[in-house]
Amino acid sequence: SLMPSFMPTSEPSISSVPSVVPSASPTSFCDRFMGEQACLLVSCCDWNGKSCFFTAHAPPSSMPTISQEPSPTPTSEPSVMPSVVSSSIPTSKPSSMPSLMPSSMPTAKPSISSMPSAMPSSSPTSVCSRLTGEESCERVECCDWDGSTCFFSPGASFNFDHIGDSPKNSIIPVQKVGYSIAFTNQWTSANHPFSYPTDAHWSEFVYASHSSAYVMWRDQARASRGVELIAETGALGDLQSELATEDSVLDQVEAFGIEDAFDGATSFSKRDLCVDTDHPLVSGIGMIAPSPDWFSGVYNLPLWNRETQTWYRKVEVDVYAWDAGTEQGRDYNFSNRDTVPRGAISAFIPGDTERMVFVSVGQAGLPFLQVKPVGVLRFELQESSRNCV
């Protein structure tokens, strides 16, 4: 599958940059950023006055502030886990970045270099592997928890970006509720000009509510058979079968495809997605078509506010383009050879040239390369959802 050389306008991904060292040795990744401003926009990189170097801290200068309404009686509390990567030459970054960490924790993760008895920041994989618990792992920027071990994953923030005042809190503490889901297309020739296809469209989507014990897909994971088939062909059946056999999955719903991917074209879920406090996370996926194995969606997005013990009234996030790592190809087409051995799922990030899919040129004093969102996902609480009561 295409080795992505670009990604969301937030932070780029180390492991997915062409002709760059693997994520286990990302120090040369930061070297590619020319100038203090470009360097400091990237998580895990810092500026020493002359050059950009890897430090695994440099959290975003501004994080979103979520205003909370009065909270009702607490119920059970789920756990949440993030993940993702970063990379390239000057790139843009959203003004606010989301946090999948419990809101009782610091919004910005402490740097690896500030952790007690940590390995040198030039060996981030060792640093992450030394953290033995989920909570300590998720508090360190560029580390992520896979259910049993802590691993290096500097692109977690590219999973999604909250928009405006999202998420809006609710005062509803009930155990089980439903959410309507809408995906609005932003994958257009204006936003993603290089080689944009004349028959751009989206497959149907699948969304699932689940606990932190289940992962539909995530950055640096290997795609399951179900995820692979959606990314390559848009076929939903295998993933739906996987979801049906997972004890950690509460519910799954389909959403309509988009036959003509014009700006603002919208896909709606065929019914509300049920969630409860034991299954407060949502993941979803849909194929970018035509393409080798490219898709968009979201993983491990929390709909339950752990601090106030209430459901969010509305969650609205930008989502980006991802490569499933299962099929080769650098252009919008279906006929490609399998990737052998299979690669990891990775997001598209700005690379060395604007002549790459999903890349565009922004202007902010000096030109810079960027990857804009391919869509907006909106989840709205439905208090009277019949199938979830």
Side-chain angles (χ1 to χ4, degrees), residues 15-73:
S15 62
S16 59
V17 182
S19 68
V20 178
V21 291
S23 58
S25 304
T27 50
S28 64
F29 153 73
C30 294
D31 294 342
R32 301 181 66 186
F33 291 86
M34 297 170 288
E36 180 177 7
Q37 183 177 6
C39 176
L40 295 180
L41 285 173
V42 183
S43 177
C44 305
C45 295
D46 206 351
W47 185 255
N48 64 7
K50 295 181 179 180
S51 61
C52 193
F53 65 98
F54 180 84
T55 61
H57 73 300
S61 58
S62 63
M63 301 293 291
T65 300
I66 302 172
S67 58
Q68 309 289 2
E69 299 178 16
S71 63
T73 306

Side-chain angles (χ1 to χ4, degrees), residues 25-368:
S25 304
T27 50
S28 64
F29 153 73
C30 294
D31 294 342
R32 301 181 66 186
F33 291 86
M34 297 170 288
E36 180 177 7
Q37 183 177 6
C39 176
L40 295 180
L41 285 173
V42 183
S43 177
C44 305
C45 295
D46 206 351
W47 185 255
N48 64 7
K50 295 181 179 180
S51 61
C52 193
F53 65 98
F54 180 84
T55 61
H57 73 300
S61 58
S62 63
M63 301 293 291
T65 300
I66 302 172
S67 58
Q68 309 289 2
E69 299 178 16
S71 63
T73 306
T75 59
S76 60
E77 182 174 337
S79 62
V80 179
M81 71 174 184
S83 93
V84 187
V85 188
S86 78
S87 158
S88 214
I89 63 172
T91 140
S92 65
K93 177 178 185 178
S95 58
S96 63
M97 300 295 295
S99 174
L100 286 180
M101 294 173 288
S103 51
S104 59
M105 290 185 182
T107 313
K109 293 184 179 183
S111 68
I112 288 181
S113 59
S114 68
M115 296 296 292
S117 69
M119 297 289 287
S121 58
S122 58
S123 303
T125 49
S126 299
V127 175
C128 297
S129 64
R130 290 180 58 157
L131 303 175
T132 56
E134 179 179 2
E135 182 176 347
S136 61
C137 176
E138 291 184 356
R139 293 186 64 184
V140 180
E141 193 161 282
C142 299
C143 293
D144 194 18
W145 185 257
D146 67 1
S148 59
T149 58
C150 191
F151 67 97
F152 180 65
S153 177
S157 54
F158 289 123
N159 182 13
F160 57 82
D161 294 325
H162 280 285
I163 300 172
D165 58 358
S166 172
K168 290 184 177 178
N169 211 32
S170 170
I171 58 173
I172 300 173
V174 294
Q175 169 76 8
K176 193 174 185 181
V177 297
Y179 279 85
S180 63
I181 307 172
F183 171 86
T184 301
N185 178 62
Q186 292 183 342
W187 172 45
T188 65
S189 58
N191 292 333
H192 311 92
F194 181 75
S195 195
Y196 186 79
T198 57
D199 57 342
H201 59 284
W202 290 87
S203 74
E204 290 188 315
F205 294 78
V206 175
Y207 301 96
S209 56
H210 56 89
S211 71
S212 60
Y214 172 73
V215 178
M216 177 186 289
W217 64 275
R218 64 166 173 79
D219 174 64
Q220 299 308 295
R222 295 297 190 270
S224 69
R225 177 63 175 168
V227 168
E228 175 184 6
L229 287 179
I230 289 183
E232 292 183 1
T233 69
L236 309 184
D238 281 58
L239 181 58
Q240 290 174 319
S241 296
E242 292 173 10
L243 293 169
T245 60
E246 282 286 345
D247 293 337
S248 302
V249 173
L250 174 68
D251 192 20
Q252 60 170 297
V253 298
E254 294 181 16
F256 295 100
I258 297 175
E259 294 183 1
D260 182 7
F262 59 85
D263 190 17
T266 302
S267 160
F268 296 97
S269 56
K270 298 180 180 180
R271 65 170 175 82
D272 296 339
L273 177 70
C274 300
V275 296
D276 64 24
T277 52
D278 292 323
H279 306 85
L281 307 178
V282 61
S283 297
I285 184 174
M287 178 190 182
I288 297 172
S291 74
D293 59 344
W294 306 339
F295 67 92
S296 187
V298 69
Y299 64 88
N300 298 350
L301 174 67
L303 299 178
W304 172 257
N305 187 322
R306 293 176 60 175
E307 185 175 84
T308 64
Q309 298 287 283
T310 59
W311 295 104
Y312 290 120
R313 180 173 292 115
K314 183 175 76 170
V315 176
E316 192 170 27
V317 294
D318 285 329
V319 293
Y320 298 90
W322 292 78
D323 186 316
T326 60
E327 194 170 284
Q328 299 179 29
R330 293 180 175 272
D331 213 335
Y332 295 103
N333 61 74
F334 287 112
S335 301
N336 304 278
R337 292 179 296 178
D338 289 342
T339 299
V340 180
R342 178 175 296 197
I345 295 172
S346 54
F348 288 89
I349 60 174
D352 299 2
T353 174
E354 64 190 88
R355 296 186 61 79
M356 296 296 289
V357 292
F358 302 111
V359 173
S360 61
V361 180
Q363 295 287 337
L366 294 173
F368 60 94

